[in-house]
């Protein structure tokens, strides 16, 4: 019965409309609404979903049409995401800082047009802005500041005109002054966060309630809002506000409409999709047309005398405006956001001859428009923009915007059957990696490392949603995706149900299929590396009490920190080397560039007292796993221009099921002042073995340089070194030659340290330096749970044309240390002096590990009798008895009578050809090929290429001609990104050298 009624609705519109006009709801169709009704009758969860939707819509549905209509503010009421972030609260200043990026409290229903400080509870502005607003409405009901009654602009707490505070804290929408003359923008902040954000929640809430009830009232209320928003939208433009100093999300250029151009993508998607959802109900709503027509007449708002005219108004003044704004840059977000906004608006518009053209534009080399040189049409995104592993071209959550958008977009386009010209899934096989990537970003199956503007100091958070994996499985049938979906749903089919499933005829079919095919099997964690994203990590195979280290060497990513070869360590359930994470604010916030994202605030090497390059890329030279030893090497030729060497070797070595230590060698050659920076998980660090003295004043930049100073004669140095952000400095009194330790007791404000545990990080240094310093550094202070400070350790070698080899061992322990001492061992060799090192790690249980690392494979005699011919080794001794040996890229390792030999250190040769004809089986032919019987599947092949980013691959299979990298592509992108017919270019090319290092072991 209901379906028949809807069909009739469609027909009425069709016959009444001009050719090509929208026919019916597309994203949630009549059939889907009928499925929802059936599911609500069948399933408790579906009824609960309906109830939640109704309850979210209820406050809006309870308002009269007039009330809803008058809620929509026009262009001249400014929007701002901050009030004044430099000054903070007019009353308590930076007392408001710990409350987050957008700290002010608002109450749309009870306290309109006021913002309240969460710290001191003071409320602003002090005038009745709403009274002024009403006095300033023009003939269309639009706010015009110049029309407002000036007599209403006074401080209501100081009504006497002679009171000096009479005009203070008074905001006409364009800001108010405080007693010190500083400007704050509380009304604009309110308009953004309380007013518009509520309206932008109300519209989809009402549409959603309609979709789940088919109750016309919700569609009616939603239409009243959309109609009125379409009245004001053509004037909406953020640029004039930007020029007046209002702030929003636009990344700098000031473009936008209601919001800055980045967030406006979400605004466009939400409003478009709501319009499409309620469309089927509009034609029959005579009361709506009556209301709208009467308002149009009274306020001179054009023709709204019929359902067709009203729809045309919303389509032309909202949807078409969105589409045009994609081209002119007023709607322009991170890659994927803009595409989604365009696709949603075009499909909601559903206009024959128009929608197709706009969807085609997504695939045009000129997308998004002439306003920018950064073109990101879908073919580029899915061939080059997403890296070979499927990750977007930005750090952390920003990169995931790309992948998640592509996943949704593929489904969105597929849901619109009238568009058949392109098919994302069939044309671009790399899309599948976007479904798989999130699981690979996590370490210990527990947290995605904070890289770049991502997370907060010391946060632990796993990415990966069972729904994404399930959607991928539905599309590709890849059993890995079923396995991930099942694992991330904790084996609970209910957890696989998605909010859209309520519209399916058989809503549990996918979950049941996954439950039946998912293999429980081996869930051992793998060490892994991501090429362009540059996250290489070594981890224990079990996540419980797991330990993991990672090194970052990403290339060309947005929202990066200057952190090339930064080291991370997760152990004892905390982040032992916490990245500072998301800055207080992005944009030109001085502390962001000078400190939070600067090199010195990371666990890496600073050269020449100046930051390293922005996202310069690096390469893996070694990636070998054979517990108890796991080792990787990463280096960068581009981190610092003109540096001969910037190279890190790190190993994760297990001593038991519970404990591992980290062996770290940082080698650099060239440049002046090499400073290796460390910070553990606490605000205090105890140093043992080196005498230090407190520097009574100033910062690490000098006793006469104040905290956060970025100005003066040495302004550039202050900015690029970040030294003025290191305070409470103590320095060694002499050159440091002997061994010493530094111990941080783990602190954590997020409840990660359980009662009875006391995690520590202890650093054992096995190399000297010219100066050792301890200083405090400040994580962003407006993120909940961030510590007030962290204690930094800076190992400095001073001078010019330096050649350095920093050797350290990190011991994350709980309560009692498991290492007794770390000693440096003497080495004899013919390699370049200072490029070979050996340490003895004496364990508390009486065993001793000897680790030897060489920059280049060489023959080494180590103090105590070990001999190595190779790159790296580990020997575990109990007394003089060998327990284990590991030999990495070497041919011989011996101690006394025990000798470990390998046929070869590595397989090497040249690339002959690449074959990408089967996207599931990318092939690289090698000369010579690898022996078919060698156990090399799962091992790492490193290609010597000219590219600055990592070009190592995991070997998925051996082929007669070489290797397969499986479904990880060796395509780098288009020869010419402006011409998709120009052919593909490759990561690996004929003539490139290849190397597969070997690791062999012996356990007794
Ligand atoms: Zn305050
Ligand atoms: Zn960082």
């Amino acid at each position: 019965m209901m379906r028949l009624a809807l069909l009739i609705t469609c027909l009425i519109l069709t016959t009444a409309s001009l050719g090509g006009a929208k026919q019916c709801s597309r994203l949630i169709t009549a059939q889907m609404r009928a499925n929802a009704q059936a599911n609500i009758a069948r399933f408790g969860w579906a009824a609960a979903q309906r109830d939640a939707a109704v309850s979210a819509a209820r406050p809006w549905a309870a308002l009269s049409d007039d009330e809803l209509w008058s809620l929509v503010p026009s262009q001249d009421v400014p929007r701002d995401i901050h009030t004044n972030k430099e000054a903070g609260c007019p009353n308590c200043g930076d007392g408001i800082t710990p409350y987050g990026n957008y700290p002010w409290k608002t109450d749309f229903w009870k306290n309109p047009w006021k913002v309240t400080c969460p710290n001191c509870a003071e409320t602003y502005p002090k005038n009745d802005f709403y009274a002024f607003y009403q006095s300033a409405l023009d003939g269309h009901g639009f706010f015009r500041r110049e029309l407002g009654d000036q007599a209403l602009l006074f401080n209501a707490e100081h009504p006497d005109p002679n009171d000096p505070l009479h005009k203070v804290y008074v905001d006409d929408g364009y800001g108010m002054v405080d007693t010190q003359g500083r400007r704050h923008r509380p009304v604009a902040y309110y308009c953004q966060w309380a007013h518009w954000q509520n309206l932008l929640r109300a519209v989809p809430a009402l549409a959603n309630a309609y979709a789940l009830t088919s109750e016309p009232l919700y569609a009616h209320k939603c239409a009243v809002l959309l109609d009125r928003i379409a009245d004001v939208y053509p004037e909406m433009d953020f640029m004039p506000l930007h020029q007046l100093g209002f702030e929003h999300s636009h990344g700098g250029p000031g473009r936008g409409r209601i919001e800055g151009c980045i967030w406006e993508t979400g605004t466009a998607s939400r409003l478009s999709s709501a319009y499409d959802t309620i469309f089927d109900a509009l034609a029959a709503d005579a009361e709506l047309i009556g209301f709208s027509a009467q308002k149009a007449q009274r306020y001179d708002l054009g023709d709204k005398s019929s359902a067709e005219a009203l729809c045309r108004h919303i389509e032309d003044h909202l949807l078409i405006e969105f589409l045009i704004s994609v081209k002119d840059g007023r709607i322009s977000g991170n890659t994927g956001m803009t595409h989604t906004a365009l696709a949603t608006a075009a499909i909601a518009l559903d206009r024959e001859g128009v929608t197709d053209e706009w969807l085609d534009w997504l695939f045009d080399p000129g997308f998004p428009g002439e306003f920018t040189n950064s073109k990101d049409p879908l073919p580029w995104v899915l061939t080059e923009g997403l890296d070979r592993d499927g990750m977007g071209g930005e750090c952390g959550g920003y990169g995931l915007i790309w992948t998640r958008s592509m996943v949704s977009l593929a489904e969105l386009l597929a849901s619109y059957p009238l568009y058949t010209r392109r098919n994302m899934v069939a044309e671009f096989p790399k899309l599948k990696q976007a479904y798989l990537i999130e699981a690979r970003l996590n370490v210990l199956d527990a947290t995605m490392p904070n890289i770049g503007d991502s997370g907060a100091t010391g946060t632990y958070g796993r990415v990966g949603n069972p729904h994404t994996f399930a959607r991928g499985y539905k599309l590709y049938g890849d059993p890995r995706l079923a396995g991930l979906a099942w694992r991330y749903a904790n084996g609970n089919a209910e957890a696989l149900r998605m909010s859209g499933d309520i519209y399916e005829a058989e809503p549990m079919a996918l979950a049941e299929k996954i439950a039946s095919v998912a293999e429980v099997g081996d869930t051992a964690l793998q060490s892994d590396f991501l090429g362009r994203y540059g996250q290489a990590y070594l981890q224990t195979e079990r996540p419980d009490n797991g330990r993991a280290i990672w090194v970052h060497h990403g290339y060309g990513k947005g929202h990066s920190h200057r952190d090339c070869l930064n080291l991370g360590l997760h152990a004892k359930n905390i982040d032992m080397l916490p990245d500072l994470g998301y800055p207080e604010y992005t944009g030109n916030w001085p502390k962001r560039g000078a400190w939070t994202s600067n090199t010195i605030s990371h666990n890496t090497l600073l050269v020449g007292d100046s930051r390293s390059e922005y996202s310069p890329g690096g390469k893996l030279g070694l990636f070998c796993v054979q517990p108890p030893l796991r080792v990787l090497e990463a280096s960068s030729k581009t981190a610092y221009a003109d540096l001969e060497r910037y190279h890190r070797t790190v190993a994760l070595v297990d001593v038991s099921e519970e404990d591992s230590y980290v062996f770290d060698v940082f080698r650099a050659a060239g440049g002046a002042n090499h400073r290796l920076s460390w910070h553990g998980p606490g605000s205090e660090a105890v140093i043992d073995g080196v005498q230090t003295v407190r520097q009574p004043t100033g910062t690490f930049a000098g006793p006469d340089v104040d905290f956060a100073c970025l100005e003066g004669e040495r302004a550039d140095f202050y900015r690029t070194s970040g030294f003025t952000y290191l305070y409470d400095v103590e320095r060694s009194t002499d050159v440091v030659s002997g061994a010493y330790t530094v111990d941080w007791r783990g602190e954590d404000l997020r409840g990660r340290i359980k009662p009875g545990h006391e995690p520590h990080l202890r650093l054992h240094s096995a190399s000297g330096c010219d100066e050792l310093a301890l200083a405090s550094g400040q994580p962003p202070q407006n993120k909940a749970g961030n510590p007030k400070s962290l204690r930094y350790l800076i190992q400095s070698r001073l001078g010019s044309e330096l050649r350095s080899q920093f050797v350290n061992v990190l011991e994350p322990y709980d309560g009692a240390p498991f290492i007794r001492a770390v000693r440096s061992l003497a080495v004899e060799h013919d390699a370049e002096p200072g490029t070979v090192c050996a340490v003895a790690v004496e364990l508390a249980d009486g065993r001793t590990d000897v680790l030897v690392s060489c920059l280049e494979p060489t023959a080494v005699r180590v103090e105590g009798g070990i001999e190595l011919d190779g790159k790296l080794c580990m020997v575990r001794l109990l007394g003089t008895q060998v327990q284990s040996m590991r030999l990495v890229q070497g041919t011989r390792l011996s101690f006394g009578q025990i000798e470990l030999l390998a046929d070869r250190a590595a397989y090497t040769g040249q690339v002959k050809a690449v074959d990408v004809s089967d996207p599931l089986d990318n092939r690289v032919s090698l000369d010579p090929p690898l022996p078919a019987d060698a156990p090399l599947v799962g091992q790492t092949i490193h290609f010597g290429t000219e590219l600055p980013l990592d070009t190592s691959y995991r070997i998925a299979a051996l082929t007669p001609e070489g290797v397969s990298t499986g479904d990880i592509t060796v395509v780098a992108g288009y020869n010419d990104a402006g011409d998709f017919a120009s052919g593909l270019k490759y990561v690996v090319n004929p003539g490139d050298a290849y190397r597969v290092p070997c690791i062999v072991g012996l356990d007794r």
Side-chain angles (χ1 to χ4, degrees):
M1 187 59 202
M2 188 194 64
R3 281 173 60 191
L4 184 64
L6 292 169
L7 196 62
I8 291 166
T9 304
C10 257
L11 283 174
I12 292 168
L13 271 180
T14 312
T15 48
S17 61
L18 299 165
K22 183 174 176 67
Q23 309 271 306
C24 52
S25 295
R26 293 290 184 185
L27 298 171
I28 299 175
T29 62
Q31 179 62 57
M32 291 162 75
R33 291 198 304 276
N35 289 344
Q37 291 310 307
N39 288 327
I40 287 163
R42 276 165 80 194
F43 301 111
W45 60 261
Q49 189 174 336
R50 185 261 331 260
D51 293 346
V54 166
S55 121
R58 187 172 293 128
W60 306 103
L63 296 181
S64 72
D65 291 355
D66 252 326
E67 285 168 326
L68 278 174
W69 189 90
S70 350
L71 280 179
V72 179
S74 53
Q75 162 68 8
D76 288 1
V77 190
R79 289 77 65 194
D80 198 316
I81 57 174
H82 302 295
T83 54
N84 176 337
K85 59 186 192 298
E86 290 76 18
C89 170
N91 182 48
C92 71
D94 61 9
I96 199 171
T97 305
Y99 295 84
N101 282 30
Y102 313 115
W104 293 91
K105 294 198 291 187
T106 57
D107 188 332
F108 180 76
W109 299 101
K110 298 204 183 103
N111 201 7
W113 298 106
K114 299 281 184 197
V115 303
T116 301
C117 174
N119 184 52
C120 70
E122 199 58 64
T123 287
Y124 300 101
K126 297 297 185 188
N127 57 313
D128 180 351
F129 174 74
Y130 188 58
F132 179 72
Y133 174 89
Q134 284 178 304
S135 75
L137 297 178
D138 71 5
H140 304 302
F142 296 175
F143 175 82
R144 304 288 180 208
R145 177 199 197 185
E146 63 279 10
L147 300 181
D149 180 355
Q150 298 294 313
L152 295 168
L153 294 173
F154 63 92
N155 185 328
E157 292 167 15
H158 299 270
D160 177 358
N162 298 318
D163 187 324
L165 290 179
H166 187 65
K167 285 285 185 187
V168 177
Y169 306 129
V170 172
D171 189 350
D172 64 356
Y174 286 74
M176 64 176 202
V177 289
D178 64 17
T179 50
Q180 297 170 54
R182 297 173 304 192
R183 289 199 79 75
H184 301 261
R185 289 111 39 200
V187 164
Y189 183 97
Y190 180 91
C191 186
Q192 161 64 27
W193 288 116
H195 218 93
W196 272 112
Q197 289 312 305
N198 267 304
L199 292 177
L200 293 171
R201 270 191 289 274
V203 170
L206 288 162
N208 192 34
Y210 169 69
L212 289 176
T213 60
S214 291
E215 171 59 61
L217 170 76
Y218 298 113
H220 174 96
K221 297 294 179 186
C222 185
V224 170
L225 282 174
L226 285 172
D227 172 23
R228 185 57 178 157
I229 294 172
D231 288 341
V232 301
Y233 201 79
E235 259 193 28
M236 283 292 178
D237 190 6
F238 198 77
M239 186 61 81
L241 301 178
H242 170 68
Q243 285 160 349
L244 290 171
F246 293 93
E247 296 183 84
H248 221 299
S249 66
H250 47 67
R255 285 186 287 263
R257 299 211 64 163
I258 298 171
E259 304 194 79
C261 60
I262 299 173
W263 294 357
E264 193 75 3
T265 56
T267 300
S269 296
R270 280 199 251 183
L271 297 179
S272 301
S273 135
Y275 171 66
D276 181 74
T277 301
I278 61 161
F279 180 83
D280 283 346
L282 298 188
D285 192 343
E287 195 188 328
L288 171 70
I289 309 308
F291 172 79
S292 181
Q294 170 243 318
K295 284 289 184 199
Q297 208 162 18
R298 159 84 175 74
Y299 290 96
D300 189 16
L301 299 166
D303 175 21
K304 299 185 188 179
S305 58
S306 64
E308 190 212 9
L310 178 62
C311 289
R312 194 82 194 184
H313 167 61
I314 295 174
E315 291 173 13
D316 288 355
H317 299 136
L318 215 48
L319 305 188
I320 299 267
E321 289 281 328
F322 294 152
L323 295 168
I324 290 168
S325 292
V326 166
K327 274 200 171 176
D328 69 23
R330 290 187 293 169
I331 294 184
S332 173
N334 303 56
T335 290
M337 296 164 78
T338 319
H339 307 72
T340 306
L342 181 146
T344 313
I347 292 172
L349 180 65
D350 188 24
R351 192 176 290 176
E352 198 185 333
V354 179
T355 291
D356 272 10
E357 298 290 312
W358 279 102
L359 294 177
D360 282 348
W361 180 241
L362 289 168
F363 296 86
D364 190 285
F367 179 89
E370 284 179 8
F371 70 94
T372 176
N373 290 324
S374 304
K375 312 293 186 196
D376 57 356
L378 286 178
W380 176 84
V381 176
L382 293 163
T383 307
E384 190 167 337
L386 295 188
D387 63 29
R388 67 191 209 205
D389 302 300
M391 183 56 171
E394 299 184 73
C395 290
Y398 287 106
L400 292 177
I401 290 174
W402 296 40
T403 68
R404 291 171 181 171
S405 301
M406 288 306 123
V407 161
S408 308
L409 199 60
E411 292 170 354
L412 185 60
L413 289 182
S415 75
Y416 185 63
L418 303 191
Y419 185 69
T420 52
R421 295 187 206 171
R422 305 298 297 254
N423 182 324
M424 278 174 71
V425 178
E427 289 180 61
F428 303 103
K430 194 196 270 181
L431 177 66
K432 186 166 93 174
Q433 301 306 322
Y435 288 88
L436 286 159
I437 183 65
E438 298 198 24
R440 294 181 65 201
L441 284 163
N442 293 321
V443 298
L444 297 176
D445 203 20
T447 184
M448 177 173 75
N450 287 342
I451 289 175
D453 295 340
S454 174
T457 315
T459 45
Y460 249 65
R462 183 169 86 160
V463 292
N465 185 320
H467 296 168
T468 309
F469 301 130
R471 288 150 74 193
Y473 176 69
K474 186 178 176 184
L475 211 52
Y476 295 101
D478 186 324
R480 287 177 298 174
L481 286 159
L484 285 167
W486 197 240
R487 184 153 67 82
Y488 276 67
N490 295 317
N492 172 12
E494 295 282 308
L496 287 174
R497 198 176 49 239
M498 302 166 233
S499 65
D501 286 353
I502 196 168
Y503 301 109
E504 300 278 333
E506 288 303 331
M508 289 307 288
L510 178 61
E512 282 161 10
K513 178 82 194 293
I514 287 169
S516 73
V517 300
E519 285 178 26
V520 180
D522 181 19
T523 55
L525 303 180
Q526 276 200 340
S527 295
D528 200 358
F529 52 88
L530 301 169
R532 185 188 71 190
Y533 192 71
Q535 172 183 313
Y537 56 94
L538 301 167
Q539 60 184 345
T540 53
E541 288 65 34
R542 307 295 330 156
D544 320 322
N545 302 313
R547 289 83 63 197
I549 56 175
W550 51 266
V551 171
H552 178 238
H553 50 276
Y555 173 70
K557 296 187 296 179
H559 282 278
S560 285
H561 292 178
R562 293 177 184 262
D563 62 348
C564 193
L565 304 195
N566 186 32
L567 178 67
L569 166 61
H570 300 268
K572 307 300 171 193
N573 205 34
I574 63 169
D575 188 341
M576 287 282 175
L577 296 171
D579 188 84
L580 300 183
Y582 208 89
E584 265 131 5
Y585 304 99
T586 52
N588 288 328
W589 183 247
K591 184 180 168 188
R592 177 195 190 195
W595 172 247
T596 311
S597 68
N598 212 345
T599 310
I600 191 70
S601 72
H602 291 83
N603 294 289
T604 191
L605 185 79
L606 187 78
V607 176
D609 293 347
S610 186
R611 64 193 174 203
S612 58
E613 295 295 325
Y614 182 84
S615 203
K619 284 178 182 289
L620 292 180
L622 206 58
F623 192 89
C624 288
V625 175
Q626 197 180 114
L629 176 73
R630 304 170 195 84
V631 62
L632 70 81
E633 281 188 4
S635 62
S636 177
K637 292 222 176 297
T638 40
Y640 282 96
D642 307 323
L643 209 61
E644 188 184 326
R645 180 182 306 144
Y646 195 72
H647 184 281
R648 190 162 210 165
T649 302
V650 286
L652 181 69
V653 183
D654 296 348
V655 303
S656 68
E657 290 287 304
E658 304 288 315
D659 290 306
S660 304
Y661 62 84
V662 180
F663 172 57
D664 178 76
V665 185
F666 208 125
R667 297 180 177 99
N673 293 5
H674 293 177
R675 303 182 190 269
L676 186 57
S677 179
W678 296 96
H679 60 278
S683 57
E684 299 291 331
V686 178
I687 191 161
D688 187 17
V690 174
Q691 198 70 38
T692 59
V693 289
R694 251 185 81 79
Q695 176 182 303
T697 57
T699 57
F700 192 59
D704 53 343
V705 187
D706 288 340
F707 178 70
C709 168
L710 296 175
E711 278 155 15
E713 234 171 63
R714 305 186 74 200
D716 195 49
F717 161 74
Y718 296 152
R719 240 187 307 280
T720 60
S721 73
F723 288 180
T724 73
Y725 282 87
L726 285 163
Y727 58 98
D728 283 350
V729 181
E730 49 185 299
R731 298 179 195 257
S732 58
T733 49
D734 220 330
V735 168
V736 179
S737 51
Y740 60 92
T741 62
V742 179
D743 190 301
W744 289 264
R745 179 176 173 167
E747 295 163 22
D748 152 63
L749 302 170
R750 295 187 176 87
R752 298 200 58 81
I753 302 173
K754 300 285 176 263
H757 293 273
E758 192 187 306
H760 285 249
L761 176 66
R762 190 160 64 143
L763 177 145
H764 304 257
S765 175
S767 56
C769 59
D770 294 318
E771 182 199 79
L772 198 65
L774 288 173
S776 293
Q778 196 188 55
Q781 292 299 293
N782 61 355
K783 307 288 180 285
N786 273 10
K788 285 258 176 292
S789 69
L790 292 169
R791 198 66 173 155
Y792 278 72
L793 165 71
I794 294 159
Q795 302 170 328
S796 299
R797 296 194 66 241
L798 307 173
S800 57
E801 285 308 309
L802 292 174
R803 306 182 88 76
S804 298
Q805 177 174 252
F806 294 90
V807 184
N808 292 283
V809 169
L810 303 178
E811 178 193 15
Y813 67 92
D814 185 359
F818 57 87
I819 293 178
R820 198 158 54 202
V822 173
R823 285 184 296 124
S824 171
L825 300 176
V827 286
E828 287 174 39
H829 58 88
D830 290 330
E832 179 188 327
T835 62
V836 175
C837 63
V839 295
V841 180
E842 296 175 1
L843 302 175
D845 62 13
R847 294 176 297 172
T848 297
D849 290 351
V850 174
L851 289 127
V852 186
S853 166
C854 312
L855 179 65
E856 297 297 339
T858 191
V860 190
R861 294 166 63 88
V862 182
E863 170 191 347
I866 289 171
E867 293 182 14
L868 162 72
D869 195 347
K871 198 163 203 319
L872 189 134
C873 73
M874 173 198 157
V875 178
R876 177 161 287 168
L877 300 167
L878 181 60
T880 54
Q881 297 294 307
V882 171
Q883 289 196 328
S884 298
M885 282 180 161
R886 294 291 180 272
L887 170 60
V888 178
Q889 202 180 328
T891 50
R892 180 172 171 269
L893 173 61
S894 74
F895 178 69
Q897 300 303 307
I898 309 293
E899 190 173 46
L900 177 60
L901 297 171
D903 293 343
R904 59 176 71 241
Y907 294 92
T908 58
Q910 276 201 338
V911 171
K912 262 174 38 185
V914 294
D915 176 1
V916 299
S917 52
D918 180 354
L920 300 179
D921 183 16
N922 283 270
R923 292 189 170 207
V924 183
S925 302
L926 305 174
D927 180 20
L930 299 170
D933 56 348
L936 296 175
V937 171
Q939 299 295 310
T940 306
I941 184 165
H942 305 279
F943 294 106
T945 71
E946 292 300 310
L947 297 170
L949 69 162
D950 181 47
T951 51
S952 309
Y953 283 78
R954 180 176 292 276
I955 298 173
L958 294 177
T959 67
E961 300 80 26
V963 295
S964 167
T965 61
D967 59 7
I968 303 297
T969 187
V970 293
V971 170
Y974 292 104
N975 281 318
D976 174 0
D979 175 11
F980 300 144
S982 63
L984 298 170
K985 61 184 179 191
Y986 300 92
V987 174
V988 183
N989 291 284
D992 288 344
Y994 81 82
R995 186 168 50 87
V996 183
C998 298
I999 178 168
V1000 291
L1002 171 158
D1003 296 289
R1004 302 173 77 224

